[in-house]
Amino acid sequence: MMKNPLFSAVGAAAYITLVASVMFYVPKFVGKTETIVVPIAVLCLFVLSAAVMGYLFFFQPFQLYMDNKKEEAVSVFLKTLGVFALITACIFAGLIFFGQGVY
Protein backbone atom coordinates (compact mmCIF):
# COMPACT_ATOMS: atom_id res chain seq x y z
CA MET A 1 0.00 0.00 0.00
CA MET A 2 1.30 3.41 -0.88
CA LYS A 3 1.51 6.36 1.47
CA ASN A 4 -0.89 8.28 -0.74
CA PRO A 5 -4.08 8.98 1.25
CA LEU A 6 -6.00 9.59 -1.97
CA PHE A 7 -5.75 5.92 -2.94
CA SER A 8 -7.01 4.75 0.44
CA ALA A 9 -9.94 7.20 0.49
CA VAL A 10 -10.95 6.45 -3.11
CA GLY A 11 -10.59 2.72 -2.39
CA ALA A 12 -12.93 3.08 0.58
CA ALA A 13 -15.46 4.99 -1.53
CA ALA A 14 -15.23 2.38 -4.28
CA TYR A 15 -15.75 -0.45 -1.79
CA ILE A 16 -18.77 1.33 -0.29
CA THR A 17 -20.18 1.89 -3.78
CA LEU A 18 -19.78 -1.80 -4.57
CA VAL A 19 -21.44 -2.92 -1.32
CA ALA A 20 -24.30 -0.42 -1.69
CA SER A 21 -24.87 -1.53 -5.29
CA VAL A 22 -25.01 -5.17 -4.27
CA MET A 23 -27.41 -4.36 -1.42
CA PHE A 24 -29.61 -2.32 -3.78
CA TYR A 25 -29.72 -4.63 -6.80
CA VAL A 26 -29.60 -8.17 -5.34
CA PRO A 27 -33.08 -8.02 -3.73
CA LYS A 28 -34.51 -6.97 -7.12
CA PHE A 29 -33.17 -10.18 -8.67
CA VAL A 30 -33.68 -12.56 -5.76
CA GLY A 31 -37.02 -11.30 -4.49
CA LYS A 32 -38.18 -11.33 -0.90
CA THR A 33 -36.51 -14.01 1.20
CA GLU A 34 -37.32 -14.81 4.80
CA THR A 35 -34.51 -17.04 5.92
CA ILE A 36 -31.80 -17.09 8.55
CA VAL A 37 -29.22 -16.67 5.79
CA VAL A 38 -30.10 -12.98 5.30
CA PRO A 39 -29.10 -11.80 8.81
CA ILE A 40 -26.02 -14.04 8.66
CA ALA A 41 -25.04 -12.49 5.33
CA VAL A 42 -25.59 -8.96 6.66
CA LEU A 43 -23.46 -9.60 9.75
CA CYS A 44 -20.72 -11.18 7.62
CA LEU A 45 -20.81 -8.14 5.35
CA PHE A 46 -20.56 -5.86 8.37
CA VAL A 47 -17.48 -7.68 9.68
CA LEU A 48 -15.90 -7.76 6.22
CA SER A 49 -16.56 -4.04 5.78
CA ALA A 50 -15.01 -3.23 9.15
CA ALA A 51 -11.90 -5.20 8.16
CA VAL A 52 -11.63 -3.55 4.73
CA MET A 53 -12.12 -0.05 6.13
CA GLY A 54 -9.65 -0.79 8.93
CA TYR A 55 -7.08 -1.84 6.37
CA LEU A 56 -7.69 1.15 4.08
CA PHE A 57 -7.68 3.75 6.87
CA PHE A 58 -5.35 2.35 9.54
CA PHE A 59 -2.84 -0.12 8.08
CA GLN A 60 -0.39 2.38 6.57
CA PRO A 61 -0.56 4.83 9.52
CA PHE A 62 -0.09 1.91 11.92
CA GLN A 63 2.99 0.75 10.03
CA LEU A 64 4.41 4.26 10.10
CA TYR A 65 3.64 4.56 13.80
CA MET A 66 5.36 1.26 14.54
CA ASP A 67 8.40 2.45 12.54
CA ASN A 68 8.58 5.39 14.97
CA LYS A 69 7.30 7.87 12.36
CA LYS A 70 4.47 9.08 14.55
CA GLU A 71 3.98 12.52 12.97
CA GLU A 72 3.87 11.02 9.48
CA ALA A 73 1.43 8.36 10.68
CA VAL A 74 -0.96 10.97 12.05
CA SER A 75 -0.56 13.05 8.89
CA VAL A 76 -1.36 10.12 6.56
CA PHE A 77 -4.39 9.16 8.65
CA LEU A 78 -5.76 12.70 8.79
CA LYS A 79 -5.19 13.25 5.08
CA THR A 80 -6.98 10.00 4.27
CA LEU A 81 -9.84 11.00 6.53
CA GLY A 82 -9.94 14.47 4.96
CA VAL A 83 -10.08 13.14 1.40
CA PHE A 84 -12.80 10.69 2.40
CA ALA A 85 -14.73 13.53 4.07
CA LEU A 86 -14.52 15.49 0.80
CA ILE A 87 -15.79 12.50 -1.17
CA THR A 88 -18.65 12.10 1.32
CA ALA A 89 -19.47 15.83 1.12
CA CYS A 90 -19.55 15.62 -2.69
CA ILE A 91 -21.97 12.70 -2.53
CA PHE A 92 -24.28 14.62 -0.20
CA ALA A 93 -23.97 17.76 -2.34
CA GLY A 94 -24.95 15.68 -5.35
CA LEU A 95 -28.01 14.43 -3.49
CA ILE A 96 -28.99 17.95 -2.45
CA PHE A 97 -28.45 19.62 -5.82
CA PHE A 98 -29.45 16.83 -8.20
CA GLY A 99 -32.21 15.07 -6.32
CA GLN A 100 -31.92 11.43 -5.41
CA GLY A 101 -28.95 10.73 -7.64
CA VAL A 102 -28.34 8.09 -10.28
CA TYR A 103 -30.46 4.96 -10.46
Side-chain angles (χ1 to χ4, degrees), residues 3 6-7 10 14-15 57 61 71-72 86 92 96:
K3 294 181 186 178
L6 180 63
F7 292 137
V10 170
Y15 175 76
F57 279 88
E71 288 181 18
E72 189 177 353
L86 280 172
F92 276 99
I96 291 168

Side-chain angles (χ1 to χ4, degrees), residues 27 31 34 42 59 67 76 97 100 103:
E34 294 184 20
V42 170
F59 180 69
D67 288 341
V76 169
F97 293 119
Q100 292 185 357
Y103 292 101

Side-chain angles (χ1 to χ4, degrees), residues 61-77:
F62 178 75
Q63 278 189 324
L64 291 168
Y65 189 85
M66 295 308 289
D67 288 341
N68 227 7
K69 298 178 182 176
K70 296 176 182 174
E71 288 181 18
E72 189 177 353
V74 171
S75 175
V76 169
F77 173 72

Side-chain angles (χ1 to χ4, degrees), residues 2-97:
M2 299 179 69
K3 294 181 186 178
N4 189 339
L6 180 63
F7 292 137
S8 296
V10 170
Y15 175 76
I16 290 169
T17 301
L18 175 70
V19 169
S21 297
V22 168
M23 292 178 73
F24 182 78
Y25 289 111
V26 166
K28 294 179 186 280
F29 294 115
V30 175
K32 185 176 181 179
T33 58
E34 294 184 20
T35 175
I36 189 68
V37 177
V38 173
I40 292 170
V42 170
L43 287 172
C44 287
L45 180 61
F46 175 70
V47 171
L48 176 65
S49 294
V52 169
M53 291 300 121
Y55 176 76
L56 289 171
F57 279 88
F58 298 115
F59 180 69
Q60 187 65 44
F62 178 75
Q63 278 189 324
L64 291 168
Y65 189 85
M66 295 308 289
D67 288 341
N68 227 7
K69 298 178 182 176
K70 296 176 182 174
E71 288 181 18
E72 189 177 353
V74 171
S75 175
V76 169
F77 173 72
L78 290 177
K79 287 177 183 175
T80 303
L81 198 59
V83 171
F84 189 71
L86 280 172
I87 292 169
T88 303
C90 289
I91 291 168
F92 276 99
L95 284 172
I96 291 168
F97 293 119

